[in-house]
Amino acid sequence: MLAAYQAQRHALLNLATRVLGCRSRAEDVLQDAFLKLWEGSLNLSRVDAPERYLTRLVRNLSIDHLRRLQLEQRYGAAGELADLQPSEISPEQAVGGQQAVRQLLDALAELTPRMRRVFTLSQLDGLTQREVATQLGASPALISLILRDTLGHCRVRLDGQCSRNCPLAKRF
């Protein structure tokens, strides 16, 4: 099991680096993949082609990581604010950050409990869509649709283009 990972580690690292554009982030993804193997949540002994399975795993983890980074960059000034010392944060930045957080919380409050749960598990707890589906007893395709609509609703509300009676919040 781990032998397949070790034999393919260099190729997996190159794949993750190509997807993410950053070798350091690629190392993080490989560490996540290794931990899944080490903890036993993945059993490669039942897989016909462990090399292909590992390639797909690292590719999917890289894409999930990239999506999470893009979401943070799009909606969060958290990265920018985290780099600044508290004395370097201007009042405008603080107010803007507070407003963005309030808008996001308002957008999440408009969603159904199921949509909020999917958002929380996926975006805040860091679970993959497949893990969310398993935990909620739903199909990964349904979780993907719910997440797409949830993020779309939040995006529209943060951009100020959606009323409080948005139909997205009533879909599921």
Side-chain angles (χ1 to χ4, degrees):
M1 162 170 58
L2 292 176
Y5 172 85
Q6 290 174 335
Q8 215 180 334
R9 187 181 189 293
H10 185 71
L12 294 172
L13 181 60
N14 287 339
L15 169 65
T17 301
R18 278 193 313 270
V19 172
L20 295 167
C22 174
R23 193 153 185 97
S24 175
R25 289 187 179 129
E27 289 281 356
D28 291 342
V29 166
L30 252 58
Q31 183 176 6
D32 290 344
F34 178 80
L35 287 175
K36 285 181 181 286
L37 291 171
W38 185 260
E39 293 170 345
S41 60
L42 299 176
N43 187 357
L44 292 181
S45 63
R46 295 182 179 173
V47 176
D48 292 335
E51 293 81 16
R52 286 195 333 226
Y53 184 82
L54 284 171
T55 299
R56 177 66 70 165
L57 171 69
V58 169
R59 181 184 166 277
N60 290 346
L61 287 173
S62 297
I63 290 170
D64 287 345
H65 192 83
L66 186 61
R67 286 179 180 157
R68 195 169 301 120
L69 287 171
Q70 289 170 341
L71 184 69
E72 289 172 2
Q73 289 172 352
R74 181 175 175 112
Y75 292 117
E80 295 171 11
L81 295 177
D83 293 338
L84 299 174
Q85 296 299 321
S87 62
E88 296 174 347
I89 298 174
S90 72
E92 293 82 14
Q93 288 173 317
V95 169
Q98 290 170 352
Q99 287 174 343
V101 168
R102 261 188 251 113
Q103 285 177 317
L104 180 59
L105 291 175
D106 289 345
L108 291 173
E110 295 167 1
L111 300 171
T112 65
R114 187 177 197 179
M115 292 173 87
R116 280 193 301 271
R117 183 77 176 133
V118 168
F119 178 87
T120 301
L121 291 171
S122 172
Q123 303 303 309
L124 302 179
D125 294 346
L127 298 180
T128 65
Q129 289 181 18
R130 186 174 307 275
E131 291 168 336
V132 173
T134 301
Q135 188 165 353
L136 297 180
S139 71
L142 178 61
I143 296 303
S144 179
L145 289 173
I146 293 172
L147 190 57
R148 182 200 67 198
D149 288 348
T150 301
L151 294 175
H153 173 74
C154 292
R155 183 178 306 115
V156 169
R157 288 288 285 131
L158 287 173
D159 292 342
Q161 301 171 355
C162 186
S163 68
R164 291 194 179 272
N165 297 324
C166 182
L168 286 176
K170 299 183 180 12
R171 183 161 179 189
F172 294 98

